[in-house]
Amino acid sequence: MPDCRKLQGKKALPGKSLVTNRGTNKYLSLENKNGQDSYILDEEKILRDSRWDGLHGVITDLPAESAAEAQDILAHYGSLWRIEESFRVNKHDLSIRPVYHWVPRRIEAHIALTYLAFALLRHLQHRVAVRQNAVMSARAIRAPCWMSSPPS
């Protein structure tokens, strides 16, 4: 329980620090009636923000003078998940880090081998997709290699 003497003279109400501007909390306001703190849903803020429902904005420095160019920019933005997924595969499945090498030649060799494994993984995923019309994740491809669970 907080020391009430410390709170005296402060302009902020106790509990006000719990209401932030993140997520749904930005629609709550704190009122103090009869010494009781209560949170109230701000319907006006909800109505104001509802104008933006369903809209997706992308900020870019690429010129988009036609609707086709704008669609092209959005298509490139939508394919960013592939890059993010590649970083995730390299970090977790292929364990590119941590590198326990100190000689620059060995560090470069470690990264080169990891990249080679990544290239082979992508090639295998492509061949599976072409032959079977199916997409396989890195984890699904790796699973048969470890009969039970991956080594620690």
Side-chain angles (χ1 to χ4, degrees), residues 73-87:
I73 290 170
L74 288 175
H76 284 297
Y77 179 78
S79 64
L80 282 179
W81 70 269
R82 288 189 179 110
I83 296 169
E84 293 169 0
E85 192 259 346
S86 296
F87 278 110

Side-chain angles (χ1 to χ4, degrees), residues 28-134:
L28 296 175
S29 58
L30 184 66
E31 279 192 8
N32 187 350
K33 287 185 180 178
N34 302 329
Q36 292 283 336
D37 291 338
S38 62
Y39 293 97
I40 297 177
L41 194 61
D42 192 344
E43 302 281 343
E44 213 173 287
K45 279 185 184 177
I46 294 172
L47 192 59
R48 259 196 325 262
D49 282 359
S50 69
R51 295 181 310 181
W52 302 104
D53 288 349
L55 295 178
H56 177 74
V58 176
I59 298 173
T60 180
D61 60 348
L62 298 174
E65 296 171 3
S66 68
E69 290 175 347
Q71 288 296 332
D72 191 39
I73 290 170
L74 288 175
H76 284 297
Y77 179 78
S79 64
L80 282 179
W81 70 269
R82 288 189 179 110
I83 296 169
E84 293 169 0
E85 192 259 346
S86 296
F87 278 110
R88 230 179 349 268
V89 166
N90 277 317
K91 184 177 179 184
H92 297 292
D93 294 330
L94 299 178
S95 301
I96 196 167
R97 293 179 68 191
V99 179
Y100 296 109
H101 303 292
W102 292 270
V103 179
R105 185 179 55 117
R106 287 190 176 192
I107 295 170
E108 291 168 2
H110 175 82
I111 293 172
L113 284 173
T114 306
Y115 182 76
L116 179 63
F118 176 71
L120 289 172
L121 173 71
R122 287 295 188 225
H123 181 71
L124 181 59
Q125 285 176 329
H126 174 71
R127 292 195 55 163
V128 166
V130 167
R131 289 205 177 188
Q132 298 178 355
N133 276 345

